[in-house]
């Protein structure tokens, strides 16, 4: 079974621009979560989507948004980029088990965003 | 609130040495506990997990036991290899009021040949 894939892997943008990152979960997984990883703040939760609905949101400004499509693929958008948005953005997917959504997350390789 | 505290790195060991990376947590209720590993340039990989008190997670020679009385989930390996060099993250997951994972700051491990 193919793992979680993220595109692009690397991205360079300038301040004020916007960016869209894409994540394809493991086949059959309907939950996708997004995380931001920086040296200073570590791994921080952005949001989670399940069946095209946002279920949970972290403490990030409204410039960070996301969506999920009917095929469970998810996109994350950051508008009006700031230097501090430079980070590794990770997505993770979860599948359904006998008791509902499983707790184990499977991570993609990440998209490294550099804002100049 | 919920939090995870890991020992600061980097940790530098010689090959075949014993590894312990300490992890303690604060949480209400009964979270599940995880160790993830991140190799250079890659995302996180699940290393092991435990879902209730006294459970022991194990994988690839690594072990960790969910200790509710000490709120700890320390990672251990009896004999490390150069290929174990990576960053290790302890994490807890709560599934009440919305699924949420809290990660520790990560501990970088260097293993010398």
């Amino acid at each position: 079974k193919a793992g979680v894939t993220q595109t692009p892997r690397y991205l360079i943008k300038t301040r004020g621009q916007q960016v869209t990152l894409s994540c394809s979960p493991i086949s059959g997984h309907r939950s996708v979560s997004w995380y931001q990883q920086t040296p200073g703040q570590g791994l921080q939760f952005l949001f989670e989507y399940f069946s095209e609905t946002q279920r949970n949101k972290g403490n990030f400004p409204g410039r960070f948004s996301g969506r999920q499509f009917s095929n469970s693929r998810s996109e994350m958008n950051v508008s009006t980029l700031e230097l501090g948005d430079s980070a590794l953005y990770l997505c993770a997917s979860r599948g359904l088990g006998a008791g509902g959504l499983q707790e184990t997350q499977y991570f993609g390789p990440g998209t490294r965003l550099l804002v100049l | 609130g919920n939090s995870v505290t890991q020992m600061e790195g980097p940790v530098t060991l010689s090959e075949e040495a014993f590894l312990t990376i300490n992890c303690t947590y604060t949480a209400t209720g009964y979270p599940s506990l995880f160790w993830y590993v991140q190799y250079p340039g890659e995302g996180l990989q699940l290393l092991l997990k435990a879902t209730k008190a006294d459970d022991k997670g194990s994988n690839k020679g690594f072990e960790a036991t969910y200790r509710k009385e000490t709120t700890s989930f320390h990672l251990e390996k009896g004999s490390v290899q150069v290929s174990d060099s990576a960053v290790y993250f302890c994490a807890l997951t709560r599934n009440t009021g919305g699924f949420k994972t809290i990660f520790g700051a990560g501990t970088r491990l260097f293993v010398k040949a």
Side-chain angles (χ1 to χ4, degrees):
Chain A
K1 202 184 258 191
V4 178
T5 58
Q6 292 186 245
T7 57
R9 292 293 309 277
Y10 304 93
L11 207 47
I12 300 176
K13 292 285 188 180
T14 56
R15 277 182 300 176
Q17 288 187 309
Q18 75 163 19
V19 68
T20 300
L21 312 181
S22 180
C23 171
S24 292
I26 290 172
S27 178
H29 286 192
R30 289 162 56 191
S31 162
V32 174
S33 295
W34 288 90
Y35 294 86
Q36 181 196 65
Q37 185 178 22
T38 59
Q41 300 298 317
L43 278 152
Q44 293 185 288
F45 171 75
L46 280 154
F47 28 65
E48 182 194 17
Y49 286 86
F50 177 75
S51 292
E52 303 177 64
T53 301
Q54 188 180 89
R55 283 163 52 104
N56 205 3
K57 191 176 190 307
N59 191 25
F60 277 81
R63 300 185 296 108
F64 292 82
S65 63
R67 59 178 176 168
Q68 187 180 32
F69 302 94
S70 58
N71 62 357
S72 296
R73 189 177 71 84
S74 177
E75 287 182 348
M76 191 193 97
N77 185 76
V78 187
S79 62
T80 320
L81 283 166
E82 300 177 359
L83 296 179
D85 297 333
S86 294
L88 180 67
Y89 290 89
L90 294 165
C91 84
S93 72
R94 295 193 288 151
L96 283 168
L101 272 171
Q102 296 179 327
E103 290 184 312
T104 300
Q105 298 177 87
Y106 297 88
F107 284 81
T111 294
R112 188 164 295 281
L113 171 65
L114 177 61
V115 182
L116 301 175
Chain B
N2 301 312
S3 66
V4 176
T5 303
Q6 285 181 240
M7 63 186 288
E8 284 193 31
V11 172
T12 303
L13 296 172
S14 297
E15 212 166 17
E16 299 183 5
F18 185 85
L19 168 71
T20 300
I21 300 179
N22 290 337
C23 171
T24 56
Y25 68 91
T26 303
T28 53
Y30 304 97
S32 294
L33 302 174
F34 298 79
W35 277 100
Y36 287 91
V37 58
Q38 186 175 34
Y39 297 101
E42 298 184 14
L44 274 68
Q45 297 177 25
L46 175 66
L47 183 58
L48 53 85
K49 68 177 184 181
T51 58
K52 61 183 187 298
D54 300 326
D55 266 3
K56 177 188 279 189
S58 60
N59 185 28
K60 299 180 182 178
F62 291 90
E63 291 183 340
T65 301
Y66 190 143
R67 301 280 188 207
K68 197 170 190 306
E69 63 277 11
T70 55
T71 61
S72 65
F73 193 55
H74 305 321
L75 182 68
E76 295 182 337
K77 187 176 185 183
S79 175
V80 293
Q81 306 300 312
V82 172
S83 57
D84 293 327
S85 298
V87 181
Y88 292 82
F89 292 91
C90 184
L92 71 82
T93 292
R94 294 295 315 282
N95 216 357
T96 51
F99 178 82
K100 196 168 184 182
T101 298
I102 308 295
F103 288 91
T107 302
R108 185 175 294 277
L109 170 67
F110 292 106
V111 181
K112 304 179 297 184

